[in-house]
Amino acid sequence: MENIRTQMDGHVLIITLDRQEKMNAFTPGMLAGLAAAFTQMEEDKEVRCGVIIANGDHFTSGLDLASVGPEVMNGKPLFGIEDIDPMRTTGRHKTKPVVLAVKGYCFTVGMELILANDIAVASKNTTFGQIEIKRGIFPFGGATVRMPQRCGWGNAMRYLLTGDRFDAEEAFRIGFVQELVEGAPESRAFEIAHTITAQAPLGVYATLKNAELSLHNQNEAISQLLHEARKLMDSNDAREGLMSFIERRDARFTGN
């Protein structure tokens, strides 16, 4: 996987962007590597949550347009149809939660990775920018759809239409990121991920699935609530959850 590293930490898969000499700008090979890492996360039953971090001072300066642009123009897909699409625009979509730790520059595809996933922890030194409009194009990794959902129409248009950069405090104010930290954000992201993996996996996946469905079809998401709850109540993890409550101990969930 080109400039992408993966490492297991308990039930957490750590995905590291590792092209720091180019501020982790994404090449086609890096995009393919990220999709491969997401596919690994999806298919390994031991993985319950992913975390995306970056080596170097910056999360990513965005797409390496000199290499990615020609492939987009030629109609080549950014991700293989058999792989999980980290941007959730084409192909297969993930079913497990992902936490991101961002710092330094977080431009274009970095912002769209935040929007396509679940929880973001940002260093207070982070600078954000969806700057495609300044290059004569527009965001094609989902920002036009997801930023209005997450941040509200006016906040999204303020930055999508101007390409202006904004700081971590503004990102937190508009709900783009969920937590701010002094210094390196990785340890807090790992802490959140491990808290997630300590919960019942089937319940986590069902929560994520229903919440995502609600963004597209609220009535359908509501109609499935009791049906999904009954399925979970019949699981070994639900029985373990009840016993842990009765016995006043931490639950030991297995995902069954």
Side-chain angles (χ1 to χ4, degrees):
M1 294 186 287
E2 182 179 310
N3 299 116
I4 302 289
R5 310 283 177 254
T6 60
Q7 176 185 350
M8 286 291 291
D9 180 14
H11 291 293
V12 175
L13 181 68
I14 302 171
I15 302 170
T16 304
L17 313 182
D18 191 18
R19 195 187 179 213
Q20 54 185 304
E21 71 279 5
K22 294 293 186 180
M23 295 186 290
N24 294 315
F26 275 83
T27 62
M30 246 179 116
L31 290 170
L34 186 62
F38 267 63
T39 303
Q40 176 186 346
M41 176 182 68
E42 187 70 19
E43 295 180 350
D44 187 340
K45 292 183 179 180
E46 289 301 307
V47 178
R48 299 182 184 179
C49 184
V51 175
I52 306 178
I53 65 174
N55 283 338
D57 296 329
H58 303 283
F59 185 69
T60 178
S61 59
L63 291 177
D64 186 335
L65 281 178
S67 59
V68 175
E71 297 207 354
V72 173
M73 283 289 292
N74 292 331
K76 184 176 179 180
L78 295 178
F79 310 106
I81 193 168
E82 297 300 321
D83 287 332
I84 299 295
D85 174 0
M87 315 306 293
R88 292 197 297 123
T89 56
T90 61
R92 296 170 61 198
H93 294 182
K94 70 176 181 65
T95 62
K96 299 176 182 180
V98 173
V99 182
L100 297 93
V102 301
K103 58 190 176 182
Y105 291 155
C106 182
F107 293 162
T108 65
V109 67
M111 288 185 56
E112 290 181 304
L113 274 173
I114 291 175
L115 292 167
N117 289 285
D118 307 298
I119 300 167
V121 179
S123 169
K124 288 185 178 179
N125 77 352
T126 311
T127 300
F128 298 89
Q130 199 74 61
I131 60 176
E132 289 90 341
I133 204 78
K134 293 182 178 292
R135 304 292 182 262
I137 57 175
F138 88 135
F140 52 90
T144 55
V145 176
R146 300 192 180 102
M147 196 168 176
Q149 290 174 337
R150 180 172 294 198
C151 304
W153 181 266
N155 288 326
M157 293 304 111
R158 167 67 183 85
Y159 295 107
L160 292 177
L161 298 180
T162 64
D164 285 350
R165 299 180 184 187
F166 55 97
D167 63 18
E169 294 287 350
E170 175 70 352
F172 183 71
R173 183 191 73 82
I174 64 177
F176 187 77
V177 301
Q178 285 60 65
E179 291 194 19
L180 300 183
V181 298
E182 296 284 356
E186 290 84 2
S187 61
R188 180 57 181 149
F190 296 151
E191 184 179 359
I192 292 171
H194 283 293
T195 300
I196 292 171
T197 64
Q199 315 313 313
L202 295 179
V204 169
Y205 306 153
T207 299
L208 191 61
K209 180 181 178 181
N210 194 263
E212 289 178 348
L213 177 60
S214 75
L215 295 175
H216 310 289
N217 191 329
Q218 189 177 78
N219 290 336
E220 179 66 16
I222 290 172
S223 74
Q224 292 186 13
L225 291 174
L226 281 178
H227 172 71
E228 294 299 324
R230 291 183 183 110
K231 286 167 57 178
L232 292 172
M233 288 175 185
D234 195 37
S235 68
N236 291 331
D237 276 353
R239 287 184 278 274
E240 166 62 11
L242 177 60
M243 290 306 300
S244 69
F245 174 76
I246 293 172
E247 297 171 4
R248 299 179 182 276
R249 59 173 175 81
D250 291 338
R252 297 181 291 272
F253 296 119
T254 62
N256 297 299

